[in-house]
Amino acid sequence: IRITKSCSPEEKKSMTEVTHKRIKTNGICIHVAEQGTGPLVLLLHGFPELWFSWRHQMAHLAKHGYHVVAPDMRGYGDSDSPLSPKSYTVIHLVGDIIGLIDHFGEKQAFVVGHDWGAVVGWHLSLFRPERVKALVALSVPYFERSQNTRSPEPFRQIFGDGCYICQFQEPGRAERAFARYDYLTVIKKFLLISKAEYLVAPHGMEIIDYLETPAMLPPWITEEELQVYADKFLESGFTGALNYFRTVELNWELLGPWQGSKIVVPAKFIIGDKDIGFEVLGTSEYVKGEVFRSLVPNLEVVILDGHHFIQQERAEEVSNQILSFLHKFSAN
């Protein structure tokens, strides 16, 4: 005999509709989009994105019995954007997420992060493993604290001043360069990157001038969806988003107590084989090799056919990869 539970109209609404709220956490207010009921899943976006980047995964996970919460990370969208770059360290960012987990009354959450959201997910798992049931990180693997991660200088030595990370360091520089274009064009230049090599502009050129604006959109995103990003960055500007890159040296100093620590939570890492620098900077060898697995012992690695914004480009496949991983731990 199969017993089925009929859903009330309110329950059906919570599964199908995305709702929005602002939550006080860690001294600021964070805007979150929310969908579904069940175990808590936090979806953390990267640069230059919004909660909206997870629209496909939100619907898929909510449909399969999860309470999905996708914040605008601090500095983005409708969340608060502190002025000082010193307010964007991994300590601050992890603190924001701990506050969200507490707000929803949970001891643990599933965490999924892309790009800078992956960095936050890795460090949340490093600092507070007891709060993370399992982690899925997209596009950016975990790197151990070392002299190579102390500052952007190694990137400057390899690539010169044209490296985007180097150009993003100086407050105001990238903002002034971005301002030569309308917001929709800036978003297109970043979200539609098809280059597999690292983002390095020729000598004397700003990275935003070097990036191309595709004449045609790829099939995985529409003009209307791109406009959602453009409209929000028109309101917020790019400084909050760029401040993440301006904490590299401060992060290195703050991470000293965790030198040599491993990430022990179950983790899955997903990356596109045409991601930025995947074949150029040794990332391919690193994610396939033993060093990564020595730092994250309970690790699965999945390499897909795709570029950097893989959760949008390969939405269905990424959603299924996340769901299959979460299902392993949902009964616990």
Side-chain angles (χ1 to χ4, degrees):
I1 299 173
R2 185 180 179 187
I3 300 174
T4 59
K5 176 182 178 292
S6 61
C7 294
S8 69
E10 291 77 15
E11 289 174 316
K12 288 181 180 178
K13 183 177 179 181
S14 70
M15 286 189 288
T16 57
E17 285 193 6
V18 177
T19 60
H20 298 265
K21 67 177 71 168
R22 275 167 58 87
I23 295 170
K24 288 185 178 180
T25 167
N26 199 25
I28 64 171
C29 284
I30 293 285
H31 163 257
V32 302
E34 192 175 357
Q35 189 174 8
T37 58
L40 178 62
V41 183
L42 296 175
L43 304 178
L44 313 180
H45 70 78
F47 175 87
E49 298 181 87
L50 300 164
W51 75 266
F52 186 69
S53 298
W54 298 108
R55 58 199 178 279
H56 306 295
Q57 286 73 37
M58 288 186 72
H60 191 72
L61 294 173
K63 177 183 173 183
H64 286 87
Y66 291 90
H67 175 201
V68 191
V69 174
D72 285 335
M73 303 292 280
R74 77 162 54 201
Y76 285 88
D78 292 319
S79 292
D80 286 354
S81 185
L83 292 176
S84 172
K86 293 181 180 179
S87 295
Y88 292 82
T89 69
V90 288
I91 303 293
H92 291 85
L93 301 171
V94 167
D96 294 347
I97 306 309
I98 290 291
L100 292 182
I101 298 172
D102 288 344
H103 171 84
F104 290 106
E106 300 288 351
K107 293 181 179 179
Q108 287 188 316
F110 291 111
V111 179
V112 182
H114 171 255
D115 187 77
W116 268 104
V119 176
V120 177
W122 288 123
H123 286 91
L124 172 61
S125 301
L126 181 67
F127 301 159
R128 300 295 302 275
E130 79 282 2
R131 304 305 300 270
V132 182
K133 191 172 289 189
L135 169 70
V136 181
L138 280 65
S139 299
V140 177
Y142 175 69
F143 292 104
E144 187 178 27
R145 179 182 186 267
S146 71
Q147 287 299 320
N148 289 333
T149 63
R150 185 170 188 171
S151 77
E153 195 55 35
F155 290 94
R156 197 182 306 277
Q157 292 173 359
I158 296 170
F159 300 111
D161 185 62
C163 172
Y164 78 102
I165 289 179
C166 299
Q167 291 192 359
F168 287 178
Q169 296 304 304
E170 179 188 334
R173 176 180 176 176
E175 290 94 324
R176 290 189 295 272
F178 288 12
R180 293 197 287 270
Y181 301 89
D182 63 82
Y183 284 86
L184 182 59
T185 299
V186 174
I187 291 301
K188 285 181 176 179
K189 281 173 173 277
F190 280 109
L191 262 61
L192 306 182
I193 286 173
S194 59
K195 298 177 183 293
E197 66 269 20
Y198 210 60
L199 299 186
V200 181
H203 179 72
M205 181 182 284
E206 295 297 311
I207 195 70
I208 195 68
D209 298 326
Y210 173 63
L211 294 176
E212 299 169 352
T213 309
M216 294 183 63
L217 298 184
W220 52 268
I221 200 163
T222 67
E223 191 84 10
E224 291 75 21
E225 289 172 322
L226 289 164
Q227 192 66 53
V228 171
Y229 294 96
D231 289 345
K232 282 300 173 186
F233 280 103
L234 175 63
E235 295 175 10
S236 68
F238 287 100
T239 297
L242 290 162
N243 277 341
Y244 284 58
F245 296 90
R246 296 166 181 161
T247 62
V248 174
E249 295 187 50
L250 183 54
N251 277 336
W252 189 87
E253 294 177 14
L254 294 171
L255 287 169
W258 291 273
Q259 180 81 42
S261 297
K262 298 182 186 298
I263 292 176
V264 297
V265 304
K268 186 173 195 172
F269 178 64
I270 302 170
I271 192 168
D273 61 355
K274 301 174 187 66
D275 204 324
I276 302 159
F278 181 66
E279 296 290 354
V280 180
L281 294 176
T283 305
S284 174
E285 291 77 10
Y286 177 74
V287 302
K288 295 174 185 175
E290 293 306 312
V291 175
F292 189 18
R293 284 164 176 77
S294 71
L295 298 171
V296 190
N298 197 353
L299 177 70
E300 295 180 25
V301 173
V302 176
I303 300 172
L304 302 178
D305 175 15
H307 298 82
H308 184 65
F309 297 97
I310 193 76
Q311 82 273 38
Q312 298 186 70
E313 181 185 8
R314 301 296 299 275
E316 184 177 359
E317 189 165 1
V318 169
S319 296
N320 286 329
Q321 288 284 350
I322 294 169
L323 185 64
S324 67
F325 191 65
L326 268 50
H327 272 351
K328 294 181 180 181
F329 310 97
S330 295
N332 296 342

